[in-house]
Each structure stands twice: as C-alpha cells, then as structure tokens.
Amino acid sequence: MYDKNNVFYKIMQNEIPSKKIYEDENVLAFYDINPMYKVHALVISKKLCTDFDDFINSATAKETADFFKSVSKVAEILDVKNSGYRILSNIGENANQIVKHFHVHILGGEKLRD
Ligand code: 5GP
C-alpha cells in the first residue's frame, strides 16, 4: 500500500526542497542528499507506486517507456553518457529500500565500485 507520508512524495509536492535536475508531468529528477558517487541522482515517477514492481504492474506500456526514456534523458543532462553510469532501484527489505516511492538511482561521474 502506498503511503503519502514519505519524503519523495513531499519533495514532489514541494513541501521539502530538493536540488532539481529535470521535471515534466510524469517524472521528477533531483540530486541525492547523501551522494555515494560524484554523480548521484534520483529519478522518481509521479505515479504513486511503492517500488519497481508496483510501478511495472500498474503503469501502461507508454508510461513505462516514457519513464525509462526520462531516466536516459536525465543521464544525458548529467553528462554521464560517454563515461558510463549505473541505474539501480532498491526493492524491499533485503535491498534496503528506504523510501517507499518508486525511484531509480543514477550513479556515475567516477569509476564505480562493483
Ligand atoms: P533507497 O530507498 O533506494 O534505498 O534510497 C533512498 C535514497 O534517497 C537514499 O540514497 C537517500 O540518501 C535519499 N534521500 C533520503 N531522503 C532524502 C531527501 O530528503 N532528499 C534527497 N534529495 N534525497 C534523500
């Protein structure tokens, strides 16, 4: 069950500030408050989904394609395309998902650890 009492929902509502990178009607991208690498951004869908599985099972094919195209667009804005980057999404307890609003991390800007 999606709970609006999470930090990304509040960021989306502009109740909590964030360093925004990109926004359109479907997605919002901003810098992670606690970066693991030189480039560490988060891309969230504006659909109220708890995680990747919730998103992929409720989004239309177009919404899904649009979301991942936006992730690629944000990587381009961040200028990590030539040097390479990683996308990841934590799902649930074993993955240590902290924020229960579907998001993808974009990591890069330096050599990433395995
Ligand atoms: P995950 O849920 O994928 O495990 O991680 C959530 C990520 O959100 C973490 O990397 C954490 O640093 C980031 N985060 C948590 N709270 C905030 C916040 O208030 N602002 C921003 N920009 N990032 C946050």
Side-chain angles (χ1 to χ4, degrees), residues 11-47:
I11 285 174
M12 212 165 62
Q13 300 300 312
N14 287 311
E15 289 169 16
I16 292 178
S18 67
K19 276 182 71 183
K20 287 183 189 174
I21 300 161
Y22 174 79
E23 183 167 21
D24 65 25
E25 65 272 32
N26 300 313
V27 304
L28 171 63
F30 51 93
Y31 288 100
D32 196 292
I33 205 167
N34 187 21
M36 291 168 59
Y37 293 102
K38 281 185 185 161
V39 173
H40 188 169
L42 300 164
V43 187
I44 71 171
S45 167
K46 291 190 177 177
K47 275 180 83 73

Side-chain angles (χ1 to χ4, degrees), residues 7-8 11 16-19 30-36 40 42 88-91 95-101 103 105:
V7 71
F8 292 173
I11 285 174
I16 292 178
S18 67
K19 276 182 71 183
F30 51 93
Y31 288 100
D32 196 292
I33 205 167
N34 187 21
M36 291 168 59
H40 188 169
L42 300 164
L88 74 85
S89 193
N90 294 315
I91 303 150
N96 301 314
Q97 182 183 1
I98 299 165
V99 182
K100 305 288 191 294
H101 179 110
H103 59 280
H105 297 248

Side-chain angles (χ1 to χ4, degrees), residues 11 24 40 56 63 65 78 84 86 90 93 106 113:
I11 285 174
D24 65 25
H40 188 169
I56 212 71
E63 285 172 332
L78 293 167
R86 179 179 295 155
N90 294 315
E93 201 175 325
I106 297 179
R113 296 178 289 276

